[in-house]
Amino acid sequence: MKKHLFGITLLSCLCAATQANAASNILVAYYSKTGNTQIVAQEIAQELKADIYEIKPASPYPADYHTTTEQAKEEIKNGIKPPLADALPNLSAYKVIFIGTPIWWGHIASPVRTFVTQGDFQGKTVIPFCTHGGSGIASSQNDIKTLATGANVLDGRCFYGSSATNSATDIEHWLKQLKLKGN
Ligand SMILES: Cc1cc2nc3c(=O)[nH]c(=O)nc-3n(C[C@H](O)[C@H](O)[C@H](O)COP(=O)(O)O)c2cc1C
């Protein structure tokens, strides 16, 4: 019986160690209203075996595109940070944090503004990414640089939202250039 208990204890210690080793110090945090940015985020997380966190606004945006654009325009104009549905993940566990956003009127989406403002990014490497409908990265990188106080914000990448499902190769190349594997 004693031997049996010893075996179980040893096994659970070994499992805990494996989990600790497997823990990633890379986080992919993203907001996505219609799924494009989520596709890119999932690809990055899968490629780097990183943790993933979806930024969710407490009140979802209207289904209607035009209504959303009008609401977003007001939010951007007034610097509004809509409350989020969930608590932030423990950012202190990560060295590198990817932040993904759709481009909204040339800027980061409002829930991302809340996330970046609430989080403590001091000493972190932050890598922005986005999806867009034609404008490219626009001011989104500057938004993140301004809000993520104390972070080293690297050059971000933006992908056409309509091609998100075909971006795997581009994403792979980009990640290789960043040389993050083994972090
Ligand atoms: C409120 C709003 C504003 C947008 N503004 C822009 C813009 O300024 N430039 C652009 O290229 N696309 C713009 N788009 C298109 C989105 O950036 C694009 O469809 C993106 O891939 C959506 O990502 P998601 O599916 O993750 O929400 C806008 C979309 C919305 C809803």
Side-chain angles (χ1 to χ4, degrees):
M1 178 63 177
K2 260 192 183 161
K3 247 189 192 172
H4 186 61
L5 273 178
F6 176 74
I8 291 175
T9 314
L10 182 67
L11 193 65
S12 44
C13 286
L14 284 174
C15 287
T18 312
Q19 271 171 10
N21 285 337
S24 174
N25 59 16
I26 304 177
L27 176 70
V28 181
Y30 72 96
Y31 168 68
S32 182
K33 181 172 186 282
T34 53
N36 297 336
T37 313
Q38 181 171 52
I39 292 168
V40 176
Q42 286 171 339
E43 188 65 38
I44 297 169
Q46 191 183 318
E47 189 64 29
L48 296 174
K49 299 189 174 32
D51 292 343
I52 190 160
Y53 172 81
E54 181 178 2
I55 301 164
K56 290 189 210 133
S59 305
Y61 284 85
D64 178 64
Y65 182 81
H66 180 71
T67 317
T68 304
T69 58
E70 289 307 303
Q71 183 177 331
K73 196 195 285 181
E74 276 309 296
E75 289 175 349
I76 291 162
K77 195 172 104 195
N78 297 304
I80 286 172
K81 302 167 189 89
L84 301 182
D86 304 310
L88 259 58
N90 176 18
L91 299 182
S92 67
Y94 301 100
K95 258 166 70 177
V96 177
I97 302 171
F98 285 80
I99 299 178
T101 181
I103 298 296
W104 280 8
W105 295 103
H107 290 273
I108 54 173
S110 309
V112 177
R113 193 174 318 112
T114 310
F115 176 81
V116 184
T117 308
Q118 285 182 357
D120 178 3
F121 293 92
Q122 191 74 38
K124 312 281 177 202
T125 297
V126 165
I127 308 173
F129 67 97
C130 57
T131 68
H132 65 103
S135 68
I137 203 160
S139 300
S140 61
Q141 174 142 327
N142 277 343
D143 292 343
I144 291 177
K145 276 192 172 154
T146 307
L147 295 172
T149 315
N152 174 27
V153 182
L154 303 189
D155 282 348
R157 270 296 294 269
C158 219
F159 301 85
Y160 266 100
S162 54
S163 316
T165 43
N166 301 318
S167 298
T169 312
D170 279 355
I171 294 168
E172 244 178 76
H173 283 149
W174 172 49
L175 295 177
K176 270 195 190 125
Q177 286 163 10
L178 291 173
K179 297 188 170 56
L180 291 172
K181 276 188 180 166
N183 242 285

